[in-house]
Amino acid sequence: MGEVTLSGRVQSFLAAGPQPMWIGGAWVPAADGAVLPSLNPATGEPLCQVASAGTEDVDRAVRAARLAFEDGPWPRLTAAQRSAYLYAIADAIEAHAEELAQVESLDNGKPVTAARQADVRKSIAHFRYYAGWPTKITGDTVPVSVPETFAYTLFQPVGVCGQIIPWNYPLLMAAWKLAPALAAGCTMVLKPAEQTPLSALYLARILEGVDLPPGVINVVTGYGETAGAALASHPDVDKIAFTGSTEVGRLILKAAGDSNLKRVSLELGGKSPNIIFADADLEQASLGAADGIFYNMGQDCTAGSRVFVERAVYDRVGAHLADRAAALRLGPGLDEATEIGPLISQEQLQRVEGYVAQGAREGARRLAGGDRPTDPGLRHGYFARPTVFADVRNDMRIAQEEIFGPVVTVIPFQDVDEAIRLGNQTRYGLAAGVWTRDLRKAHRVAAAMRAGTVWVNSYGSGAVEMPFGGFRESGHGREHGFEGIRLYSEVKSVLMNLAGE
Ligand code: ADP
């Protein structure tokens, strides 16, 4: 345990000066030379600068992706050849796993141990899973009611995809977007968040070694309002895939509608309920609920930010959560002893502190946290101590608005019906958890939750094989599994007349 020594490759990457973008198989700066800094959230210091794309750069990347799609070898490869590329990408990431974990920890702030065990490992698994798909994407032959007709369906790549991703799991979100799109035969322009552009650029360097045809994957770095908006409204982008806030999801949907009605998939915010019944294993449930909100500093769209507890065990679970919150070890991501790192930015820190103050004004009772750590070594980073609020009503702002930070609201309920009713009282619908030993209760709640994923006696595990996405204002569409392939495909019906000669 202790501070990780940065790998030589990562050191020279960071020292290399403004990082160019990966467009059409070449490293290029922004057309106007603009750059933006990426900060280290543990210190507030700049890590390095990256190109800041404008409309012209986005256009260049879209043209490269279009050329690769229309004239390049990519869509014409056999399925087995595409599959081999995806396996090669997974192997290449694996060969550079430690470097990627370090870059991710530095740029995002998360513990390097989490970056290794979760982000990088899951990214590799994601590419391996989708590497198996190209050879298994099949249409149907259909017994149509048209006489003497042979009819079948074809899955074809949707075309040029814009992919806009957030800062909470930068590398993993890139993998979630790139892998299924590659498997389906698309070409793409990936835009990482301006707060965390480094792992996507590092991935592009790694991909250089895999020798994908130029223009299949392009990475543009830049601000959301400029580069992101240019991608969402680009008339030659066939599909936009977005993960981020509900607010920006709305803008993207509008930009898509106002430009060329491009396909849109959205994975947005959440305010997920985690329901603990008195008959649950309370130790396991409290630990799971703490992990469900504090993992990744609560910067997670599935964060279990509303914990509903059956009245009989309300105080006990609240106390467990508060103990866990107080015990979590805060520190810089590169320290292997760190359990939770800083928030992503000053803005995010202020947002979290604003909600903590709001909770107090609304009359919630603070059981833990709510302040910054006193350790002088953490003074300049964006650190907030994990916060637990009890005596929360579900209609308080802290129980209805997505905080995207380590703040949990603990709310009592009387019976199954009330738990379901309160749990579903939200504009979101990404995930839910239920903790009980009673099978009937578990299935009843799982069926009743208006949420895309329900965990029973666990919280937060992700499986690439299982569809993932939201009900209501948590989004459109499902990623993972075959649903991920569907998101990047057009389905064509072919009807062939067999009558005559
Ligand atoms: P957060 O609020 O958590 O920072 P955002 O939804 O703002 O998340 O950001 C997620 C991604 O969306 C980032 O890559 C960001 O640059 C991008 N983005 C932000 N605003 C826009 C916009 N108006 N159009 C397109 N993309 C945007």
Side-chain angles (χ1 to χ4, degrees), residues 388-423:
V388 179
F389 274 119
D391 297 345
V392 177
R393 282 194 327 273
N394 194 45
D395 60 357
M396 289 180 181
R397 275 185 56 198
I398 54 165
Q400 285 298 314
E401 296 177 16
E402 186 179 42
I403 300 175
F404 221 65
V407 180
V408 66
T409 55
V410 193
I411 304 170
F413 69 86
Q414 211 64 264
D415 55 23
V416 185
D417 288 333
E418 193 184 23
I420 292 171
R421 187 171 53 77
L422 290 175

PDB file of all heavy atoms in Angstrom, residues 388-423:
ATOM      1  N   VAL A 388     -24.801  11.383   5.227  1.00  0.00           N
ATOM      2  CA  VAL A 388     -26.036  10.612   5.426  1.00  0.00           C
ATOM      3  C   VAL A 388     -27.082  11.523   6.054  1.00  0.00           C
ATOM      4  O   VAL A 388     -26.826  12.139   7.094  1.00  0.00           O
ATOM      5  CB  VAL A 388     -25.788   9.403   6.363  1.00  0.00           C
ATOM      6  CG1 VAL A 388     -27.082   8.610   6.578  1.00  0.00           C
ATOM      7  CG2 VAL A 388     -24.684   8.506   5.816  1.00  0.00           C
ATOM      8  N   PHE A 389     -28.253  11.615   5.409  1.00  0.00           N
ATOM      9  CA  PHE A 389     -29.364  12.384   5.962  1.00  0.00           C
ATOM     10  C   PHE A 389     -30.490  11.442   6.372  1.00  0.00           C
ATOM     11  O   PHE A 389     -30.939  10.617   5.560  1.00  0.00           O
ATOM     12  CB  PHE A 389     -29.937  13.338   4.914  1.00  0.00           C
ATOM     13  CG  PHE A 389     -29.229  14.667   4.823  1.00  0.00           C
ATOM     14  CD1 PHE A 389     -28.616  15.050   3.642  1.00  0.00           C
ATOM     15  CD2 PHE A 389     -29.207  15.533   5.910  1.00  0.00           C
ATOM     16  CE1 PHE A 389     -27.971  16.282   3.544  1.00  0.00           C
ATOM     17  CE2 PHE A 389     -28.572  16.755   5.817  1.00  0.00           C
ATOM     18  CZ  PHE A 389     -27.950  17.131   4.642  1.00  0.00           C
ATOM     19  N   ALA A 390     -30.952  11.575   7.615  1.00  0.00           N
ATOM     20  CA  ALA A 390     -32.133  10.814   8.063  1.00  0.00           C
ATOM     21  C   ALA A 390     -33.314  11.779   8.174  1.00  0.00           C
ATOM     22  O   ALA A 390     -33.160  12.983   7.940  1.00  0.00           O
ATOM     23  CB  ALA A 390     -31.848  10.166   9.410  1.00  0.00           C
ATOM     24  N   ASP A 391     -34.462  11.226   8.536  1.00  0.00           N
ATOM     25  CA  ASP A 391     -35.707  12.002   8.650  1.00  0.00           C
ATOM     26  C   ASP A 391     -35.989  12.783   7.366  1.00  0.00           C
ATOM     27  O   ASP A 391     -36.370  13.967   7.406  1.00  0.00           O
ATOM     28  CB  ASP A 391     -35.647  12.974   9.845  1.00  0.00           C
ATOM     29  CG  ASP A 391     -35.513  12.226  11.155  1.00  0.00           C
ATOM     30  OD1 ASP A 391     -35.749  10.997  11.177  1.00  0.00           O
ATOM     31  OD2 ASP A 391     -35.155  12.860  12.166  1.00  0.00           O
ATOM     32  N   VAL A 392     -35.784  12.112   6.256  1.00  0.00           N
ATOM     33  CA  VAL A 392     -36.003  12.762   4.962  1.00  0.00           C
ATOM     34  C   VAL A 392     -37.401  12.390   4.479  1.00  0.00           C
ATOM     35  O   VAL A 392     -37.851  11.256   4.672  1.00  0.00           O
ATOM     36  CB  VAL A 392     -34.940  12.283   3.955  1.00  0.00           C
ATOM     37  CG1 VAL A 392     -35.201  12.881   2.577  1.00  0.00           C
ATOM     38  CG2 VAL A 392     -33.539  12.648   4.435  1.00  0.00           C
ATOM     39  N   ARG A 393     -38.086  13.347   3.899  1.00  0.00           N
ATOM     40  CA  ARG A 393     -39.347  13.037   3.215  1.00  0.00           C
ATOM     41  C   ARG A 393     -39.054  12.932   1.724  1.00  0.00           C
ATOM     42  O   ARG A 393     -38.244  13.679   1.184  1.00  0.00           O
ATOM     43  CB  ARG A 393     -40.375  14.146   3.458  1.00  0.00           C
ATOM     44  CG  ARG A 393     -41.066  14.137   4.820  1.00  0.00           C
ATOM     45  CD  ARG A 393     -42.287  15.063   4.781  1.00  0.00           C
ATOM     46  NE  ARG A 393     -42.062  16.209   3.888  1.00  0.00           N
ATOM     47  CZ  ARG A 393     -41.488  17.352   4.272  1.00  0.00           C
ATOM     48  NH1 ARG A 393     -41.098  17.525   5.513  1.00  0.00           N
ATOM     49  NH2 ARG A 393     -41.315  18.338   3.383  1.00  0.00           N
ATOM     50  N   ASN A 394     -39.775  12.041   1.066  1.00  0.00           N
ATOM     51  CA  ASN A 394     -39.481  11.782  -0.340  1.00  0.00           C
ATOM     52  C   ASN A 394     -39.743  12.985  -1.243  1.00  0.00           C
ATOM     53  O   ASN A 394     -39.275  13.026  -2.366  1.00  0.00           O
ATOM     54  CB  ASN A 394     -40.278  10.561  -0.823  1.00  0.00           C
ATOM     55  CG  ASN A 394     -39.763  10.035  -2.143  1.00  0.00           C
ATOM     56  OD1 ASN A 394     -38.557   9.903  -2.332  1.00  0.00           O
ATOM     57  ND2 ASN A 394     -40.657   9.768  -3.070  1.00  0.00           N
ATOM     58  N   ASP A 395     -40.486  13.982  -0.729  1.00  0.00           N
ATOM     59  CA  ASP A 395     -40.738  15.141  -1.598  1.00  0.00           C
ATOM     60  C   ASP A 395     -39.730  16.270  -1.367  1.00  0.00           C
ATOM     61  O   ASP A 395     -39.806  17.314  -2.004  1.00  0.00           O
ATOM     62  CB  ASP A 395     -42.181  15.648  -1.425  1.00  0.00           C
ATOM     63  CG  ASP A 395     -42.465  16.077   0.010  1.00  0.00           C
ATOM     64  OD1 ASP A 395     -41.562  15.918   0.878  1.00  0.00           O
ATOM     65  OD2 ASP A 395     -43.574  16.563   0.268  1.00  0.00           O
ATOM     66  N   MET A 396     -38.756  16.065  -0.488  1.00  0.00           N
ATOM     67  CA  MET A 396     -37.725  17.100  -0.317  1.00  0.00           C
ATOM     68  C   MET A 396     -36.850  17.154  -1.574  1.00  0.00           C
ATOM     69  O   MET A 396     -36.676  16.147  -2.260  1.00  0.00           O
ATOM     70  CB  MET A 396     -36.830  16.771   0.892  1.00  0.00           C
ATOM     71  CG  MET A 396     -37.514  16.935   2.227  1.00  0.00           C
ATOM     72  SD  MET A 396     -36.315  16.499   3.550  1.00  0.00           S
ATOM     73  CE  MET A 396     -37.332  16.724   4.992  1.00  0.00           C
ATOM     74  N   ARG A 397     -36.264  18.310  -1.805  1.00  0.00           N
ATOM     75  CA  ARG A 397     -35.405  18.433  -3.000  1.00  0.00           C
ATOM     76  C   ARG A 397     -34.228  17.456  -2.957  1.00  0.00           C
ATOM     77  O   ARG A 397     -33.853  16.897  -3.979  1.00  0.00           O
ATOM     78  CB  ARG A 397     -34.888  19.875  -3.134  1.00  0.00           C
ATOM     79  CG  ARG A 397     -35.903  20.766  -3.852  1.00  0.00           C
ATOM     80  CD  ARG A 397     -35.338  22.144  -4.089  1.00  0.00           C
ATOM     81  NE  ARG A 397     -34.081  22.093  -4.833  1.00  0.00           N
ATOM     82  CZ  ARG A 397     -33.207  23.091  -4.882  1.00  0.00           C
ATOM     83  NH1 ARG A 397     -33.443  24.209  -4.218  1.00  0.00           N
ATOM     84  NH2 ARG A 397     -32.096  22.979  -5.582  1.00  0.00           N
ATOM     85  N   ILE A 398     -33.675  17.240  -1.750  1.00  0.00           N
ATOM     86  CA  ILE A 398     -32.526  16.323  -1.670  1.00  0.00           C
ATOM     87  C   ILE A 398     -32.930  14.878  -1.988  1.00  0.00           C
ATOM     88  O   ILE A 398     -32.077  14.036  -2.241  1.00  0.00           O
ATOM     89  CB  ILE A 398     -31.795  16.374  -0.304  1.00  0.00           C
ATOM     90  CG1 ILE A 398     -32.771  16.151   0.850  1.00  0.00           C
ATOM     91  CG2 ILE A 398     -31.007  17.649  -0.150  1.00  0.00           C
ATOM     92  CD1 ILE A 398     -32.055  15.837   2.166  1.00  0.00           C
ATOM     93  N   ALA A 399     -34.250  14.600  -1.965  1.00  0.00           N
ATOM     94  CA  ALA A 399     -34.708  13.244  -2.288  1.00  0.00           C
ATOM     95  C   ALA A 399     -35.252  13.159  -3.715  1.00  0.00           C
ATOM     96  O   ALA A 399     -35.615  12.073  -4.169  1.00  0.00           O
ATOM     97  CB  ALA A 399     -35.779  12.799  -1.308  1.00  0.00           C
ATOM     98  N   GLN A 400     -35.324  14.272  -4.397  1.00  0.00           N
ATOM     99  CA  GLN A 400     -35.902  14.256  -5.738  1.00  0.00           C
ATOM    100  C   GLN A 400     -34.909  14.652  -6.829  1.00  0.00           C
ATOM    101  O   GLN A 400     -35.048  14.241  -7.973  1.00  0.00           O
ATOM    102  CB  GLN A 400     -37.125  15.187  -5.804  1.00  0.00           C
ATOM    103  CG  GLN A 400     -38.352  14.603  -5.115  1.00  0.00           C
ATOM    104  CD  GLN A 400     -38.817  13.309  -5.767  1.00  0.00           C
ATOM    105  OE1 GLN A 400     -38.921  13.206  -6.977  1.00  0.00           O
ATOM    106  NE2 GLN A 400     -39.073  12.287  -4.966  1.00  0.00           N
ATOM    107  N   GLU A 401     -33.910  15.470  -6.475  1.00  0.00           N
ATOM    108  CA  GLU A 401     -32.985  15.952  -7.506  1.00  0.00           C
ATOM    109  C   GLU A 401     -31.702  15.141  -7.474  1.00  0.00           C
ATOM    110  O   GLU A 401     -31.205  14.790  -6.397  1.00  0.00           O
ATOM    111  CB  GLU A 401     -32.697  17.444  -7.279  1.00  0.00           C
ATOM    112  CG  GLU A 401     -33.975  18.255  -7.441  1.00  0.00           C
ATOM    113  CD  GLU A 401     -33.789  19.741  -7.148  1.00  0.00           C
ATOM    114  OE1 GLU A 401     -32.634  20.222  -7.114  1.00  0.00           O
ATOM    115  OE2 GLU A 401     -34.820  20.408  -6.954  1.00  0.00           O
ATOM    116  N   GLU A 402     -31.164  14.867  -8.654  1.00  0.00           N
ATOM    117  CA  GLU A 402     -29.941  14.075  -8.710  1.00  0.00           C
ATOM    118  C   GLU A 402     -28.758  14.920  -8.222  1.00  0.00           C
ATOM    119  O   GLU A 402     -28.459  15.958  -8.793  1.00  0.00           O
ATOM    120  CB  GLU A 402     -29.674  13.593 -10.138  1.00  0.00           C
ATOM    121  CG  GLU A 402     -28.497  12.652 -10.183  1.00  0.00           C
ATOM    122  CD  GLU A 402     -28.205  12.109 -11.585  1.00  0.00           C
ATOM    123  OE1 GLU A 402     -28.269  12.890 -12.545  1.00  0.00           O
ATOM    124  OE2 GLU A 402     -27.908  10.912 -11.697  1.00  0.00           O
ATOM    125  N   ILE A 403     -28.110  14.482  -7.158  1.00  0.00           N
ATOM    126  CA  ILE A 403     -26.986  15.239  -6.588  1.00  0.00           C
ATOM    127  C   ILE A 403     -25.683  14.833  -7.268  1.00  0.00           C
ATOM    128  O   ILE A 403     -24.800  15.626  -7.488  1.00  0.00           O
ATOM    129  CB  ILE A 403     -26.917  15.024  -5.055  1.00  0.00           C
ATOM    130  CG1 ILE A 403     -28.229  15.517  -4.414  1.00  0.00           C
ATOM    131  CG2 ILE A 403     -25.705  15.737  -4.464  1.00  0.00           C
ATOM    132  CD1 ILE A 403     -28.362  15.258  -2.924  1.00  0.00           C
ATOM    133  N   PHE A 404     -25.568  13.581  -7.636  1.00  0.00           N
ATOM    134  CA  PHE A 404     -24.366  13.041  -8.290  1.00  0.00           C
ATOM    135  C   PHE A 404     -23.150  13.227  -7.387  1.00  0.00           C
ATOM    136  O   PHE A 404     -22.082  13.657  -7.812  1.00  0.00           O
ATOM    137  CB  PHE A 404     -24.153  13.701  -9.654  1.00  0.00           C
ATOM    138  CG  PHE A 404     -23.726  12.718 -10.712  1.00  0.00           C
ATOM    139  CD1 PHE A 404     -24.585  11.705 -11.118  1.00  0.00           C
ATOM    140  CD2 PHE A 404     -22.475  12.770 -11.290  1.00  0.00           C
ATOM    141  CE1 PHE A 404     -24.198  10.783 -12.077  1.00  0.00           C
ATOM    142  CE2 PHE A 404     -22.077  11.851 -12.251  1.00  0.00           C
ATOM    143  CZ  PHE A 404     -22.944  10.858 -12.643  1.00  0.00           C
ATOM    144  N   GLY A 405     -23.339  12.900  -6.121  1.00  0.00           N
ATOM    145  CA  GLY A 405     -22.261  12.997  -5.149  1.00  0.00           C
ATOM    146  C   GLY A 405     -22.583  12.078  -3.985  1.00  0.00           C
ATOM    147  O   GLY A 405     -23.638  11.443  -3.946  1.00  0.00           O
ATOM    148  N   PRO A 406     -21.678  12.001  -2.992  1.00  0.00           N
ATOM    149  CA  PRO A 406     -21.831  11.027  -1.906  1.00  0.00           C
ATOM    150  C   PRO A 406     -22.807  11.505  -0.822  1.00  0.00           C
ATOM    151  O   PRO A 406     -22.423  11.747   0.312  1.00  0.00           O
ATOM    152  CB  PRO A 406     -20.404  10.914  -1.362  1.00  0.00           C
ATOM    153  CG  PRO A 406     -19.802  12.256  -1.640  1.00  0.00           C
ATOM    154  CD  PRO A 406     -20.441  12.780  -2.883  1.00  0.00           C
ATOM    155  N   VAL A 407     -24.052  11.663  -1.212  1.00  0.00           N
ATOM    156  CA  VAL A 407     -25.080  12.131  -0.276  1.00  0.00           C
ATOM    157  C   VAL A 407     -26.261  11.169  -0.352  1.00  0.00           C
ATOM    158  O   VAL A 407     -26.836  10.991  -1.427  1.00  0.00           O
ATOM    159  CB  VAL A 407     -25.558  13.553  -0.637  1.00  0.00           C
ATOM    160  CG1 VAL A 407     -26.628  14.017   0.355  1.00  0.00           C
ATOM    161  CG2 VAL A 407     -24.392  14.532  -0.679  1.00  0.00           C
ATOM    162  N   VAL A 408     -26.609  10.568   0.779  1.00  0.00           N
ATOM    163  CA  VAL A 408     -27.719   9.610   0.766  1.00  0.00           C
ATOM    164  C   VAL A 408     -28.845  10.106   1.667  1.00  0.00           C
ATOM    165  O   VAL A 408     -28.604  10.674   2.734  1.00  0.00           O
ATOM    166  CB  VAL A 408     -27.232   8.193   1.177  1.00  0.00           C
ATOM    167  CG1 VAL A 408     -26.758   8.118   2.611  1.00  0.00           C
ATOM    168  CG2 VAL A 408     -28.316   7.152   0.924  1.00  0.00           C
ATOM    169  N   THR A 409     -30.070   9.909   1.189  1.00  0.00           N
ATOM    170  CA  THR A 409     -31.234  10.279   1.984  1.00  0.00           C
ATOM    171  C   THR A 409     -31.883   8.997   2.481  1.00  0.00           C
ATOM    172  O   THR A 409     -32.118   8.073   1.693  1.00  0.00           O
ATOM    173  CB  THR A 409     -32.243  11.064   1.125  1.00  0.00           C
ATOM    174  OG1 THR A 409     -32.566  10.282  -0.029  1.00  0.00           O
ATOM    175  CG2 THR A 409     -31.678  12.389   0.662  1.00  0.00           C
ATOM    176  N   VAL A 410     -32.145   8.929   3.779  1.00  0.00           N
ATOM    177  CA  VAL A 410     -32.726   7.715   4.362  1.00  0.00           C
ATOM    178  C   VAL A 410     -34.172   8.026   4.769  1.00  0.00           C
ATOM    179  O   VAL A 410     -34.417   8.962   5.537  1.00  0.00           O
ATOM    180  CB  VAL A 410     -31.902   7.231   5.571  1.00  0.00           C
ATOM    181  CG1 VAL A 410     -32.312   5.816   5.955  1.00  0.00           C
ATOM    182  CG2 VAL A 410     -30.408   7.247   5.248  1.00  0.00           C
ATOM    183  N   ILE A 411     -35.079   7.240   4.208  1.00  0.00           N
ATOM    184  CA  ILE A 411     -36.517   7.550   4.303  1.00  0.00           C
ATOM    185  C   ILE A 411     -37.250   6.324   4.863  1.00  0.00           C
ATOM    186  O   ILE A 411     -37.044   5.212   4.367  1.00  0.00           O
ATOM    187  CB  ILE A 411     -37.060   7.898   2.884  1.00  0.00           C
ATOM    188  CG1 ILE A 411     -36.244   9.053   2.289  1.00  0.00           C
ATOM    189  CG2 ILE A 411     -38.555   8.211   2.928  1.00  0.00           C
ATOM    190  CD1 ILE A 411     -36.519   9.324   0.819  1.00  0.00           C
ATOM    191  N   PRO A 412     -38.103   6.512   5.871  1.00  0.00           N
ATOM    192  CA  PRO A 412     -38.809   5.350   6.429  1.00  0.00           C
ATOM    193  C   PRO A 412     -40.052   4.956   5.623  1.00  0.00           C
ATOM    194  O   PRO A 412     -40.645   5.797   4.955  1.00  0.00           O
ATOM    195  CB  PRO A 412     -39.235   5.853   7.818  1.00  0.00           C
ATOM    196  CG  PRO A 412     -39.344   7.333   7.681  1.00  0.00           C
ATOM    197  CD  PRO A 412     -38.398   7.759   6.594  1.00  0.00           C
ATOM    198  N   PHE A 413     -40.420   3.663   5.693  1.00  0.00           N
ATOM    199  CA  PHE A 413     -41.710   3.228   5.118  1.00  0.00           C
ATOM    200  C   PHE A 413     -42.351   2.199   6.045  1.00  0.00           C
ATOM    201  O   PHE A 413     -41.670   1.577   6.873  1.00  0.00           O
ATOM    202  CB  PHE A 413     -41.545   2.691   3.695  1.00  0.00           C
ATOM    203  CG  PHE A 413     -40.797   1.381   3.597  1.00  0.00           C
ATOM    204  CD1 PHE A 413     -41.453   0.157   3.744  1.00  0.00           C
ATOM    205  CD2 PHE A 413     -39.435   1.365   3.349  1.00  0.00           C
ATOM    206  CE1 PHE A 413     -40.763  -1.049   3.641  1.00  0.00           C
ATOM    207  CE2 PHE A 413     -38.727   0.166   3.261  1.00  0.00           C
ATOM    208  CZ  PHE A 413     -39.397  -1.042   3.407  1.00  0.00           C
ATOM    209  N   GLN A 414     -43.660   1.999   5.812  1.00  0.00           N
ATOM    210  CA  GLN A 414     -44.447   1.156   6.699  1.00  0.00           C
ATOM    211  C   GLN A 414     -44.599  -0.271   6.173  1.00  0.00           C
ATOM    212  O   GLN A 414     -44.447  -1.232   6.897  1.00  0.00           O
ATOM    213  CB  GLN A 414     -45.843   1.797   6.811  1.00  0.00           C
ATOM    214  CG  GLN A 414     -46.539   1.578   8.129  1.00  0.00           C
ATOM    215  CD  GLN A 414     -45.793   2.241   9.278  1.00  0.00           C
ATOM    216  OE1 GLN A 414     -44.999   1.603   9.974  1.00  0.00           O
ATOM    217  NE2 GLN A 414     -45.992   3.527   9.470  1.00  0.00           N
ATOM    218  N   ASP A 415     -44.922  -0.398   4.872  1.00  0.00           N
ATOM    219  CA  ASP A 415     -45.201  -1.735   4.318  1.00  0.00           C
ATOM    220  C   ASP A 415     -44.811  -1.792   2.837  1.00  0.00           C
ATOM    221  O   ASP A 415     -44.369  -0.789   2.272  1.00  0.00           O
ATOM    222  CB  ASP A 415     -46.676  -2.095   4.502  1.00  0.00           C
ATOM    223  CG  ASP A 415     -47.588  -1.030   3.908  1.00  0.00           C
ATOM    224  OD1 ASP A 415     -47.124  -0.289   3.020  1.00  0.00           O
ATOM    225  OD2 ASP A 415     -48.757  -0.922   4.322  1.00  0.00           O
ATOM    226  N   VAL A 416     -44.992  -2.948   2.224  1.00  0.00           N
ATOM    227  CA  VAL A 416     -44.570  -3.139   0.826  1.00  0.00           C
ATOM    228  C   VAL A 416     -45.205  -2.102  -0.091  1.00  0.00           C
ATOM    229  O   VAL A 416     -44.526  -1.513  -0.950  1.00  0.00           O
ATOM    230  CB  VAL A 416     -44.962  -4.548   0.305  1.00  0.00           C
ATOM    231  CG1 VAL A 416     -44.425  -4.789  -1.092  1.00  0.00           C
ATOM    232  CG2 VAL A 416     -44.463  -5.615   1.240  1.00  0.00           C
ATOM    233  N   ASP A 417     -46.503  -1.877   0.080  1.00  0.00           N
ATOM    234  CA  ASP A 417     -47.179  -0.943  -0.833  1.00  0.00           C
ATOM    235  C   ASP A 417     -46.585   0.457  -0.736  1.00  0.00           C
ATOM    236  O   ASP A 417     -46.367   1.115  -1.746  1.00  0.00           O
ATOM    237  CB  ASP A 417     -48.685  -0.881  -0.513  1.00  0.00           C
ATOM    238  CG  ASP A 417     -49.369  -2.175  -0.947  1.00  0.00           C
ATOM    239  OD1 ASP A 417     -48.849  -2.806  -1.893  1.00  0.00           O
ATOM    240  OD2 ASP A 417     -50.369  -2.549  -0.321  1.00  0.00           O
ATOM    241  N   GLU A 418     -46.304   0.865   0.490  1.00  0.00           N
ATOM    242  CA  GLU A 418     -45.742   2.212   0.638  1.00  0.00           C
ATOM    243  C   GLU A 418     -44.328   2.280   0.060  1.00  0.00           C
ATOM    244  O   GLU A 418     -43.946   3.269  -0.575  1.00  0.00           O
ATOM    245  CB  GLU A 418     -45.730   2.651   2.111  1.00  0.00           C
ATOM    246  CG  GLU A 418     -45.449   4.143   2.194  1.00  0.00           C
ATOM    247  CD  GLU A 418     -45.322   4.683   3.612  1.00  0.00           C
ATOM    248  OE1 GLU A 418     -45.008   3.894   4.547  1.00  0.00           O
ATOM    249  OE2 GLU A 418     -45.507   5.890   3.796  1.00  0.00           O
ATOM    250  N   ALA A 419     -43.566   1.208   0.242  1.00  0.00           N
ATOM    251  CA  ALA A 419     -42.204   1.190  -0.301  1.00  0.00           C
ATOM    252  C   ALA A 419     -42.244   1.328  -1.825  1.00  0.00           C
ATOM    253  O   ALA A 419     -41.475   2.099  -2.415  1.00  0.00           O
ATOM    254  CB  ALA A 419     -41.499  -0.103   0.096  1.00  0.00           C
ATOM    255  N   ILE A 420     -43.154   0.597  -2.451  1.00  0.00           N
ATOM    256  CA  ILE A 420     -43.258   0.655  -3.917  1.00  0.00           C
ATOM    257  C   ILE A 420     -43.705   2.051  -4.358  1.00  0.00           C
ATOM    258  O   ILE A 420     -43.132   2.639  -5.282  1.00  0.00           O
ATOM    259  CB  ILE A 420     -44.247  -0.424  -4.430  1.00  0.00           C
ATOM    260  CG1 ILE A 420     -43.660  -1.824  -4.210  1.00  0.00           C
ATOM    261  CG2 ILE A 420     -44.598  -0.193  -5.895  1.00  0.00           C
ATOM    262  CD1 ILE A 420     -44.638  -2.957  -4.474  1.00  0.00           C
ATOM    263  N   ARG A 421     -44.696   2.568  -3.658  1.00  0.00           N
ATOM    264  CA  ARG A 421     -45.245   3.880  -4.057  1.00  0.00           C
ATOM    265  C   ARG A 421     -44.165   4.960  -3.926  1.00  0.00           C
ATOM    266  O   ARG A 421     -43.916   5.718  -4.863  1.00  0.00           O
ATOM    267  CB  ARG A 421     -46.448   4.209  -3.176  1.00  0.00           C
ATOM    268  CG  ARG A 421     -47.206   5.466  -3.593  1.00  0.00           C
ATOM    269  CD  ARG A 421     -48.508   5.609  -2.815  1.00  0.00           C
ATOM    270  NE  ARG A 421     -48.325   5.546  -1.372  1.00  0.00           N
ATOM    271  CZ  ARG A 421     -47.852   6.547  -0.619  1.00  0.00           C
ATOM    272  NH1 ARG A 421     -47.510   7.688  -1.171  1.00  0.00           N
ATOM    273  NH2 ARG A 421     -47.718   6.398   0.690  1.00  0.00           N
ATOM    274  N   LEU A 422     -43.494   4.993  -2.796  1.00  0.00           N
ATOM    275  CA  LEU A 422     -42.464   6.028  -2.589  1.00  0.00           C
ATOM    276  C   LEU A 422     -41.282   5.815  -3.537  1.00  0.00           C
ATOM    277  O   LEU A 422     -40.746   6.762  -4.110  1.00  0.00           O
ATOM    278  CB  LEU A 422     -41.967   6.010  -1.141  1.00  0.00           C
ATOM    279  CG  LEU A 422     -42.951   6.488  -0.079  1.00  0.00           C
ATOM    280  CD1 LEU A 422     -42.361   6.293   1.315  1.00  0.00           C
ATOM    281  CD2 LEU A 422     -43.302   7.966  -0.289  1.00  0.00           C
ATOM    282  N   GLY A 423     -40.885   4.563  -3.692  1.00  0.00           N
ATOM    283  CA  GLY A 423     -39.749   4.260  -4.560  1.00  0.00           C
ATOM    284  C   GLY A 423     -39.975   4.761  -5.978  1.00  0.00           C
ATOM    285  O   GLY A 423     -39.068   5.295  -6.621  1.00  0.00           O
TER     286      GLY A 423
END
